[in-house]
Structures are given as structure tokens and as C-alpha cells.
Amino acid sequence: MGRAFVYVVLGGGVAAGYAALEFARRGGYSRGELCIISEEVAPYERPALSKGYLLPEDPSRLPKFHTCVGANDELLTTKWYKEQGIELVLGTRVISADVRRKTLLTATGETISYKTLIIATGARALKLEEFGISGSDAANICYLRNLEDADKLVNAMSSCSGGNAVVIGGGYIGMECAAALVTNKIKVTMVFPEKHCMGRLFTPKIAEFYEKYYAAKGVVFVKGTAVKSLEVSDGKVAAAILRDGRRLPADMVVVGIGARANTGLFDGQLAMERGGIKVNGRMQTSDAAVYAVGDVAAFPVALLGGDVRRFEHVDCARRTARRAIEAILEPSGGAAEEGKAFGYLPYFYSRVFALSWQFYGDNAGEAVHFGDFSPPVAGGKPKFGACWVSGGRVAGAFIEGGSPEENEAMASAVRSRAAIADLAAELGSRGLGFADEE
Ligand code: FDA
Ligand code: NAD
């Protein structure tokens, strides 16, 4: 049993959706030549799962957040794929890949062959078991990576109103889910090993602002320790036991302890770097017929002097997908120069409660803070941030509560590696003076 395509996109998440739109816009294939294989439904905007999907009132549901609405672009429903002649092979897991033969084998026993493969398999959530803690299969333990996880979380929240949730991990999932739990009237205790939340990105001063804001909403932070074991009874977690001996009673648990890129199918077949599949500036892997995009791709970033990086963020998934399709369909076009770094500006964001931050570039160098870090007074919107400076130039910038113009000013300062003095003048003119650092 088998089918043959010219182009196969393996994985059907954010990057796959943006790749499909780019293919359709460029018209670079004939009906039936392109397919997307995914374990899930048609591509959707994954960030919605920790935001609109978890709202207690009028939550967002599919088909509302299929790609590419997150970039204010077309909503690609299954009907759209049909009209475009793009085959969706959904609910289907690929269990092995043979790069030399250019074939994929699905769990249903079908062999799918390709001329060009675009790997967009994303990442998976790390499990507690990988840290030696058992109990992940308990009915009230929630991870958050896909729709099934999000539905489990929604159900757990609806039977836990007024109860206690323990959130394990102080990264993106931990912070966004803690906010959603509070909004659903659940008491939250967050546990993580670092000194402060969002340890990989936030400075202590930025983290302090968010921790105080969360604490004012009732969130309790237990920092500098980790969960040692879970107390399970009748298939449900009743408490989390910490390394320091404390016992945190729990009606439900949310786990966000990091992600790993889904590279396993290609181990030993493609070059790997930074926990992902190594690609050049055209998103092409060590095999010329295979491209990789999104969370799984480690690519040279021009802005960082060609340093190879991997980002687990939605903007990167969208842009690397477009870049790969451009390179595939226009081999001598803008993305042509083999091996040249991609002119990508790293961009991450998050929205929690009434807050919204953006980050551009690299958090390397010395951080200088600007704006007002005091807790907002009733209904007020905070506005503050930080710039990371190396050699007198802006390498990275973070801003909470920025207007579209201010966000763009930060992005362009990083893109052009502006002198910090120039950005200070720009921020000063907007009433966002640099703080006196102690
Ligand atoms: P993505 O994970 O979207 O898709 C991969 C797809 O491949 C999945 O459908 C998977 O099932 C499928 N697949 C994998 N292996 C397969 C196999 N062997 N066979 C078949 N199918 C297979 N980023 C950001 O910048 N801002 C934000 O606010 C958020 N918010 C956010 C919330 C939540 C809950 C998560 C989990 C993540 C975010 N992110 C984010 C990160 C962002 O969603 C992420 O970077 C992109 O989804 C990556 O897109 P990809 O297409 O690479 O993978
Ligand atoms: P993360 O890497 O952001 O955070 C992991 C957290 O878990 C860290 O605080 C870490 O210290 C903590 N941790 C690690 N081991 C632990 C342990 N044994 N016990 C307790 N805490 C432990 O990862 P995440 O929050 O799980 O996010 C998963 C993926 O989803 C990432 O790819 C992330 O980029 C993506 N995501 C992004 C956004 C966004 O960009 N706004 C939002 C949600 C998810």
C-alpha cells in the first residue's frame, strides 16, 4: 500500500499551515502533488491553547483558530485545503522515515514517498517520568501541547472550581496556565527550581514584577525547589511532595517542564545541532531533498553573526516555513545563497491577565531597565522593559505594555543593532527613561 507525492509536509502544526499558504500563494504545485501528514486535525494556531481556549467564558474553539489567523491572514479550513488540491492525511502518525529511499511509513502501514520533504514535527512536552517522578497518567494531571491535552485541562478546571492546583514549572506553560487557572477561580501554587520565573529570559527585576502581579491575584510561588514525588490515590494526584519535604495538596496538577524537538525519526540520517535538525539559511538539511522548519529546525541567524539557533516560538515557525517554501519553489530567488544565514529577527511574546510583553533579539550582554516597574494601580497599564547591550549596541529588547509603535521601535533598534545612546534618546522622548541601576 502506498502513495507518491512531489512535496510532503511531515507534521501538521503551525509551520505546516503557513507552508501550505505559501505553496498556494506561489502556485508551485499541481493538484494532488502536495500533502500534509499529521497526527492531529488541520493546522491550527497552537498558542491559542494556553490563552483563548482556556477562558471560562466564550472560549475560542476550532475552526476559529486554524492557521493562518494568528498572523491576521486567511483562515485555512479543511475546505480550503480541498479547494487548493492539498491532501490532508490527518489522524496519522509517521513511525519511520527512510531519507535515502525518500519514503515515510505510517502507523496504518502505508508507505508515502516524496521528492521533497519538509519536516515540521514540532516538539513534545517533557514528562515528569523523565525526571524520575511517576504519576503522569493520573486523571487530574495535565500537560499542554495539543488539543487533546487542552480538552483534558478544560475538563479538569471545570471540576475543580474553588480548589487547589499545583503548577510544576515556571516557564511559558507554567506562567500562562497559572493565569488561566486563576481566571477559572482555582487557587494556584507554582513550583520551580530556579530563583525566579521565566529564568531563561527574564532578568530578576522583570521577574519580580510578574511574580508580584501574580501574587496579588493569589498565586503562591515556591521557588528554588522541585517536586520529588506525587501522592496518588484512586488514580488521582492528591498532593505534590517537594524535595525540601513540603507537601502541597492538589485537586489538579499542570506540568510545564520544557519541550524536546521531535527529531527521533531522523536520528542517524540527518545532521543535528542544538537539539534539532541542522539546516542552512534556506532551511535545507544535510540531505538536499529534505527541509526542516519550526521548532525542529536549528538554523544560522544572520543577526547573531550566523550562530546556529533553534527557537520554540510561533513567529519562527511561520517565517521558517515561508522561507523553506520560497527556497524550494524559487531555487535561484532571494533565499538562494546556499548556507547563508537567514535574516530572521528572533521574536517571542506572551499575554497573561491584562499584561502583554514582547521580546526581540538575543538576551546576551548587560541588561539595562527602563520605564516604571511599580505595580499598576486600579485599571492602569504598566509600561517597562529592558535592553540587553553588548559593545554599546542593542542586542535584545523586552517591553511590557508597549504600543505597536513602541514595539516596532524596539524591534528596529535590535534589527539595526542601534547604539544604546540612540535608543535611550528614543525611549526618553516617549517618557520611558532608563532606571538607575543599583
Ligand atoms: P507544532 O508543534 O505546532 O506542530 C507539529 C505537528 O506535527 C503536530 O501537529 C504533531 O502532532 C505533528 N507530528 C509530530 N510528529 C509526528 C509524526 N511522527 N507523525 C505525524 N505527525 C506528527 N509561541 C509563541 O511565540 N507565543 C505564544 O504565545 C505561544 N504559546 C504557546 C502555547 C502552547 C500551549 C504551546 C504548546 C506552544 C506555544 N508557543 C507559543 C510555541 C509555538 O506554538 C510553537 O513554537 C509552534 O507551534 C511550533 O510550530 P511547529 O509547526 O514547528 O510545531
Ligand atoms: P520552558 O522551557 O519555558 O519552561 C520549563 C520550566 O520548567 C522552567 O521554569 C524550568 O525550570 C522548569 N523545570 C524544569 N524541570 C523541572 C522540574 N523537574 N520540576 C519543576 N520545574 C522544572 O518550557 P514550557 O513552559 O514547558 O513550554 C513548553 C514549550 O511551549 C516551549 O517550547 C515553549 O517555548 C512553548 N510555549 C511558548 C509560549 C510563548 O512563547 N508564549 C507559551 C507556551 C508554550
Side-chain angles (χ1 to χ4, degrees):
M1 187 162 86
R3 277 186 279 179
F5 293 89
V6 178
Y7 304 109
V8 170
V9 181
L10 169 54
V14 173
Y18 284 78
L21 186 59
E22 194 65 22
F23 262 118
R25 294 232 163 112
R26 290 178 178 269
Y29 65 97
S30 304
R31 293 190 82 78
E33 280 187 351
L34 165 61
C35 90
I36 295 176
I37 312 173
S38 177
E39 291 179 278
E40 289 199 87
V41 298
Y44 60 86
E45 301 285 356
R46 201 164 299 283
L49 298 183
S50 55
K51 302 175 189 68
Y53 207 85
L54 304 181
L55 291 176
E57 272 164 46
D58 196 20
S60 189
R61 290 289 178 267
L62 288 173
K64 261 197 209 157
F65 61 94
H66 279 298
T67 55
C68 300
V69 291
N72 295 321
D73 213 321
E74 259 184 275
L75 176 77
L76 313 185
T77 58
T78 46
K79 187 164 159 259
W80 180 88
Y81 290 93
K82 205 169 201 159
E83 285 165 2
Q84 299 299 325
I86 300 172
E87 187 94 16
L88 285 179
V89 184
L90 302 178
T92 303
R93 180 167 182 76
V94 168
I95 53 166
S96 69
D98 187 329
V99 167
R100 207 173 44 81
R101 292 207 165 96
K102 300 189 177 181
T103 56
L104 304 172
L105 177 65
T106 71
T108 50
E110 187 181 13
T111 298
I112 295 182
S113 67
Y114 60 82
K115 286 204 166 75
T116 301
L117 176 67
I118 298 128
I119 304 169
T121 43
R124 65 174 181 84
L126 280 174
K127 290 282 159 87
L128 286 172
E129 278 69 11
E130 294 169 70
F131 293 86
I133 301 161
S134 57
S136 274
D137 50 354
N140 57 346
I141 283 216
C142 301
Y143 289 84
L144 188 54
R145 184 72 208 179
N146 55 33
L147 277 174
E148 200 185 322
D149 296 338
D151 287 334
K152 185 175 177 187
L153 178 53
V154 167
N155 288 335
M157 288 197 298
S158 70
S159 57
C160 192
S161 194
N164 293 306
V166 170
V167 172
I168 306 178
Y172 289 95
I173 293 285
M175 293 301 278
E176 294 185 5
C177 288
L181 288 159
V182 168
T183 310
N184 281 274
K185 301 195 174 6
I186 296 163
K187 293 180 223 120
V188 177
T189 302
M190 289 185 73
V191 191
F192 50 85
E194 289 92 353
K195 285 195 186 124
H196 63 73
C197 68
M198 294 290 294
R200 283 191 296 155
L201 182 64
F202 288 4
T203 63
K205 191 176 171 83
I206 295 175
E208 187 188 3
F209 171 87
Y210 290 96
E211 288 180 12
K212 278 189 178 156
Y213 189 100
Y214 273 57
K217 302 268 182 196
V219 175
V220 174
F221 286 87
V222 180
K223 303 186 276 186
T225 185
V227 172
K228 193 175 88 181
S229 63
L230 296 170
E231 208 177 282
V232 182
S233 84
D234 291 337
K236 282 187 150 192
V237 175
I241 312 298
L242 307 187
R243 279 195 201 140
D244 65 11
R246 267 183 282 184
R247 178 182 182 277
L248 304 175
D251 298 301
M252 65 180 287
V253 175
V254 177
V255 186
I257 53 173
R260 284 284 177 278
N262 292 319
T263 58
L265 293 171
F266 301 96
D267 281 346
Q269 301 193 71
L270 298 175
M272 301 282 166
E273 195 164 335
R274 287 196 177 259
I277 297 171
K278 186 180 181 184
V279 293
N280 62 22
R282 309 170 70 225
M283 304 298 131
Q284 194 173 32
T285 70
S286 52
D287 182 296
V290 181
Y291 292 71
V293 294
D295 280 5
V296 90
F299 60 91
V301 182
L303 188 77
L304 305 176
D307 237 30
V308 173
R309 297 285 176 96
R310 193 173 65 79
F311 302 101
E312 295 173 351
H313 292 279
V314 72
D315 178 67
C316 177
R318 294 169 181 157
R319 290 180 193 272
T320 52
R322 292 190 197 117
R323 171 75 164 188
I325 307 315
E326 178 197 357
I328 291 166
L329 296 180
E330 279 186 43
S332 55
E337 284 164 70
E338 175 93 16
K340 201 174 164 199
F342 182 23
Y344 173 65
L345 172 67
Y347 165 56
F348 325 147
Y349 70 88
S350 183
R351 291 190 295 275
V352 285
F353 297 115
L355 304 174
S356 168
W357 62 255
Q358 330 260 324
F359 171 83
Y360 304 93
D362 195 20
N363 59 339
E366 190 199 343
V368 283
H369 297 93
F370 61 83
D372 183 0
F373 282 74
S374 42
V377 280
K381 284 246 175 205
K383 192 176 289 188
F384 62 82
C387 297
W388 282 262
V389 186
S390 75
R393 306 249 153 210
V394 181
F398 174 98
I399 184 164
E400 165 62 50
S403 65
E405 299 75 41
E406 286 160 346
N407 294 339
E408 185 41 45
M410 303 307 280
S412 90
V414 177
R415 204 180 283 119
S416 64
R417 299 226 62 171
I420 185 66
D422 294 342
L423 181 60
E426 159 98 32
L427 288 167
S429 73
R430 295 171 183 274
L432 291 169
F434 278 105
D436 289 328
E437 307 283 346
E438 60 283 350

